[in-house]
Amino acid sequence: MGSGQSVREIVEPHLARGEEPRAVYTDDNTVTVVTDRRIVRSRDHEIEGTDATDVESIMLTGPQILGARVRTYPATAPEWGKIALGSLFTGVGALFAYGSLVQNFLGTPTESELALIVALAPLLLVPSGAYIAYEAFNTQESHIRVEVISTGGDTTLRLPLDATEAANAVSSVVGDN
């Protein structure tokens, strides 16, 4: 939330007459309000050096709304087995690269098939190992995923774990209508 505005000052201009907030979640630059009709989300950000605010509205009522799905996802940890495999591939590839360099500097004659294997192995093993290790470190923070299911397509909202009140309010509003 930028410029010292209160939640009320940010959201009130976007609420319809008689619309009642049920839950509010705020973080550094986003205010999420679940009302008895919809989700109103205001985000502060910067565009080309200028402060900007985006306001998004997601309907939770009406015949087009079929349901809501609230899921909690735990954080994922690095996959150490894949990290070890990626490191092994990278290490073996580096050894082959070293062997290829030594062979070229010493000018040791080798059979053409063996020379080709020694030369190509690093090209295959090093990038493969690096990719496997990278993917193993690609983790996910814990979060709540809220999906509003409608005839016009689903809308997904990602919230931090401490926004359970807002996530539960979405489910409640959809269920009430």
Side-chain angles (χ1 to χ4, degrees), residues 76-80 82-83 87 131-140:
T76 57
E79 298 179 53
W80 296 105
K82 284 186 178 180
I83 292 168
S87 299
Y131 178 76
I132 291 168
Y134 169 77
E135 282 298 313
F137 275 113
N138 195 8
T139 61
Q140 171 178 289

Side-chain angles (χ1 to χ4, degrees), residues 58-69:
I58 302 166
M59 290 304 297
L60 298 175
T61 60
Q64 75 280 5
I65 304 300
L66 303 174
R69 183 179 298 129

Side-chain angles (χ1 to χ4, degrees), residues 8-40:
R8 182 178 202 92
E9 290 172 329
I10 293 169
V11 175
E12 198 166 275
H14 303 283
L15 298 181
R17 191 171 309 144
E19 191 171 9
E20 292 295 322
R22 291 219 181 156
V24 176
Y25 176 79
T26 61
D27 64 17
D28 293 339
N29 60 356
T30 306
V31 175
T32 303
V33 178
V34 180
T35 73
D36 57 344
R37 300 178 198 172
R38 60 193 171 127
I39 301 167
V40 179

Side-chain angles (χ1 to χ4, degrees), residues 11-176:
V11 175
E12 198 166 275
H14 303 283
L15 298 181
R17 191 171 309 144
E19 191 171 9
E20 292 295 322
R22 291 219 181 156
V24 176
Y25 176 79
T26 61
D27 64 17
D28 293 339
N29 60 356
T30 306
V31 175
T32 303
V33 178
V34 180
T35 73
D36 57 344
R37 300 178 198 172
R38 60 193 171 127
I39 301 167
V40 179
R41 193 169 215 200
S42 173
R43 290 187 191 142
D44 292 339
H45 57 96
E46 190 175 301
I47 298 176
E48 298 177 6
T50 305
D51 290 337
T53 301
D54 289 337
V55 178
E56 175 184 26
S57 177
I58 302 166
M59 290 304 297
L60 298 175
T61 60
Q64 75 280 5
I65 304 300
L66 303 174
R69 183 179 298 129
V70 178
R71 291 182 177 163
T72 302
Y73 291 89
T76 57
E79 298 179 53
W80 296 105
K82 284 186 178 180
I83 292 168
L85 181 65
S87 299
L88 177 68
F89 277 24
T90 304
V92 169
L95 285 174
F96 273 106
Y98 179 73
S100 181
L101 285 174
V102 168
Q103 174 191 348
N104 287 332
F105 280 124
L106 296 178
T108 311
T110 57
E111 293 184 27
S112 61
E113 291 86 16
L114 180 60
L116 184 62
I117 291 171
V118 170
L120 290 180
L123 295 175
L124 297 172
L125 291 172
V126 172
S128 298
Y131 178 76
I132 291 168
Y134 169 77
E135 282 298 313
F137 275 113
N138 195 8
T139 61
Q140 171 178 289
E141 292 181 15
S142 56
H143 66 282
I144 300 171
R145 182 175 167 168
V146 178
E147 294 175 82
V148 178
I149 303 163
S150 73
T151 56
D154 300 349
T155 303
T156 302
L157 189 65
R158 182 181 169 135
L159 298 170
L161 278 184
D162 59 347
T164 53
E165 183 181 351
N168 294 341
V170 169
S171 182
S172 175
V173 169
V174 170
D176 286 346

